[in-house]
Amino acid sequence: MLERRSPSSHDDLIDHLVRSTALQRGEAARVVLDVLAYFDETYEEFVRRRHRELQSGGLVNAEIFERIAAELPHRAVAPPELSLRQLRRIVYG
């Protein structure tokens, strides 16, 4: 007896990736879930994550907060415009 899997809301996208790339179905499903998780991140989580990443790359806070401020408007759902002070408060409380 064949086991039927319930269709996910992303099956059409997974099918498209399998047809249009060299990805296998399992790989395509992981890519979709990774992308969705990336875009599910709140802007506060994004600010904290990018601060850690850029700080570990050797940048200083002045450069970090300028770069984050420039990146935020390009997110899939852009947050309200935040001042550098607001960005620092997100990271440091």
Side-chain angles (χ1 to χ4, degrees), residues 34-50 53 67-80 82 87:
D34 284 348
V35 169
L36 291 173
Y38 177 83
F39 286 113
D40 194 36
E41 182 178 53
T42 67
Y43 73 85
E44 292 96 342
E45 292 166 334
F46 171 79
V47 168
R48 290 183 193 106
R49 177 179 60 79
R50 284 299 287 150
E53 292 170 354
R67 184 174 298 182
I68 292 172
E71 291 175 356
L72 279 171
H74 302 286
R75 299 279 298 159
V77 177
L82 301 169
L87 293 173

Side-chain angles (χ1 to χ4, degrees), residues 61-70 81-90:
N61 276 343
E63 296 169 314
I64 290 171
F65 290 119
E66 287 287 340
R67 184 174 298 182
I68 292 172
E81 188 173 334
L82 301 169
S83 69
L84 297 180
R85 181 173 186 251
Q86 290 171 307
L87 293 173
R88 283 191 294 275
R89 292 192 78 186
I90 290 171

Side-chain angles (χ1 to χ4, degrees), residues 4 6 9 14-15 24-25 27-28 43-44 55-56 62 74 84:
R4 282 186 63 109
S6 60
S9 59
I14 293 168
D15 292 341
Q24 298 297 316
R25 185 164 188 79
E27 295 168 324
Y43 73 85
E44 292 96 342
Q55 195 172 46
S56 70
H74 302 286
L84 297 180

